[in-house]
Amino acid sequence: MYRGRLKRDLDIWVGKGLIGQGVADALLQEHDSRRSSFSIGGVLMILAAVLISASILLLIAANWEAIPRLVKVGGIVALIWVFHLLAALAFGRGADRLGGALLVLGAACFGGAIALIGQLYHLSGDAFDAMLVWFAMTAVSAAAFRSGALTAMAGILSFAAFAALLEQFNADWHMLYGWWPVFSGLVIGLLSLWTGADRARHFVYWLLLAWFVWIYTLSIEVETATAYAAAGTIAFLVATLPMSPVAKFLRRFEPAFAFYALVLALLGLGLLHAEWTDGEALALLGIATIALALAALALEGRDNGAVRFLAYAAFAGEVLYLSYVTIDSMLGTSAFFLLAGLVVAVLAGVVVKLEKVFARRAVEART
């Protein structure tokens, strides 16, 4: 998506004579040469590895009886070594995407080996223990090969382990296991820095958000939701206010932080909506939600499209929700639809004005 916008901008700048065609081609070529740049071939290789991995896991799950146990175990262990050695050779020849696909196959075979050995020899244990070992070995392999593909796979496995944890303990807190999303998120964050897989850090934010929701379900207290709203708002302001000492750093190196901080704040406000449904509490909650949406648009709306979209959605959703909960005091369903139409029209006008403000600021910044 970014490449498409970059190419369109370069074409516009070339057409206006701001830069030459050679400079535009060089800039686009530099973007494509980056390690993290999108490649259809790389995506197809990873998809092929996923499909082959699925076939291997299904074959193992079938527990084909005609093959002796030692042959089964030896075969799956051999596949693990073969795929990792082939990946090492691919990386040595500069075929990084092929190497990443082979590592995914090797990691999938390792997971299959865990299931196969447990199945054949009736080893005691549970799904979470198996997922924990699988995650640990995948993370070690990702660090050893500096593989972004394996870092992403470790992120997926962290969610699978979290799901297994919730199922095993009936979604109750269990000692140190309850901190699993934090621990695995820390591992994935460090791996993403080491391997250069910046997009894998989204798994960290998703894990933490899922963890926050789970913690809330354990108590369902207003204080917890209020803490989420306050913490998310503070984090968002720290990441976006011009006078913040870390705002410039986060905008450059971790632009997703502001978006997920806003998600956390809106999550807390959304949970509070389930508790405060009428009266002054609902009015204050509505004002806080709308104010946060407008502040997000003012502080980060121009430069962060994800924040802008989320703020628009929060603003529109809050206004429509407040209109809905007060419908009993109006003239009925037809009045509600009329009001909804007027609200959307007003919202459209606000959006148009904000877009003009953003465009004017962009022109001022360039000049």
Side-chain angles (χ1 to χ4, degrees):
M1 186 167 60
Y2 171 72
R3 186 187 188 278
R5 293 198 304 269
L6 176 62
K7 187 176 187 306
R8 288 193 296 271
D9 289 340
L10 291 174
D11 290 340
I12 292 174
W13 296 336
V14 170
K16 292 183 176 181
L18 298 176
I19 60 174
Q21 185 62 50
V23 174
D25 293 340
L27 290 173
L28 196 62
Q29 183 178 3
E30 193 280 332
H31 173 270
D32 293 338
S33 66
R34 296 177 186 175
R35 187 176 181 181
S36 60
S37 62
F38 176 81
S39 169
I40 295 178
V43 171
L44 291 177
M45 284 185 183
I46 296 297
L47 290 177
V50 170
L51 293 173
I52 296 173
S53 300
S55 69
I56 293 173
L57 294 176
L58 289 174
L59 185 62
I60 293 171
N63 193 17
W64 58 115
E65 299 293 341
I67 304 176
R69 290 184 176 183
L70 290 178
V71 175
K72 295 176 185 178
V73 175
I76 195 67
V77 171
L79 283 177
I80 295 172
W81 279 100
V82 166
F83 284 134
H84 280 81
L85 289 174
L86 290 176
L89 291 175
F91 284 123
R93 294 177 176 271
D96 293 346
R97 294 184 176 89
L98 176 60
L102 291 169
L103 286 177
V104 169
L105 284 170
C109 288
F110 184 84
I114 295 174
L116 178 63
I117 293 173
Q119 181 185 52
L120 291 177
Y121 297 99
H122 307 288
L123 299 179
S124 61
D126 47 60
F128 177 71
D129 290 336
M131 296 303 303
L132 180 59
V133 174
W134 194 0
F135 170 84
M137 293 307 299
T138 302
V140 170
S141 183
F145 285 90
R146 302 193 73 167
S147 170
L150 279 188
T151 301
M153 185 173 181
I156 295 172
L157 291 177
S158 66
F159 271 97
F162 188 33
L165 173 66
L166 295 178
E167 182 178 2
Q168 179 177 336
F169 298 108
N170 297 318
D172 292 329
W173 187 278
H174 185 76
M175 298 185 297
L176 292 178
Y177 285 170
W179 295 93
W180 165 253
V182 178
F183 169 75
S184 58
L186 178 62
V187 172
I188 296 167
L190 293 175
L191 281 176
S192 68
L193 293 174
W194 174 247
T195 63
D198 296 338
R199 296 183 181 90
R201 284 199 289 276
H202 289 285
F203 286 109
V204 179
Y205 295 113
W206 296 338
L207 272 170
L208 292 178
L209 289 173
W211 188 57
F212 290 143
V213 173
W214 176 47
I215 290 176
Y216 178 77
T217 62
L218 295 177
S219 59
I220 311 182
E221 296 179 353
V222 171
E223 291 78 6
T224 305
T226 304
Y228 291 170
T233 301
I234 293 173
F236 179 79
L237 293 177
V238 168
T240 57
L241 284 175
M243 68 283 297
S244 172
V246 297
K248 186 175 181 181
F249 173 83
L250 290 174
R251 278 196 176 98
R252 181 175 181 182
F253 296 103
E254 192 59 27
F257 181 86
F259 171 76
Y260 286 105
L262 182 60
V263 170
L264 178 60
L266 292 176
L267 172 64
L269 292 172
L271 294 174
L272 288 174
H273 274 79
E275 301 293 331
W276 298 339
T277 57
D278 54 20
E280 294 180 358
L282 178 60
L284 292 175
L285 189 59
I287 293 173
T289 304
I290 292 174
L292 177 62
L294 294 177
L297 287 172
L299 292 172
E300 197 71 5
R302 185 192 68 181
D303 300 323
N304 195 321
V307 168
R308 183 167 64 248
F309 176 82
L310 182 60
Y312 284 157
F315 181 85
E318 183 64 24
V319 172
L320 292 176
Y321 173 75
L322 293 176
S323 302
Y324 174 77
V325 296
T326 57
I327 192 66
D328 291 338
S329 61
M330 299 179 187
L331 298 178
T333 306
S334 60
F336 170 73
F337 283 115
L338 175 61
L339 177 62
L342 293 175
V343 167
V344 172
V346 172
L347 177 62
V350 172
V351 169
V352 170
K353 289 185 178 296
L354 286 174
E355 294 290 356
K356 289 181 179 179
V357 171
F358 296 152
R360 185 172 64 252
R361 288 182 180 178
V363 172
E364 292 175 355
R366 286 196 297 267
T367 57

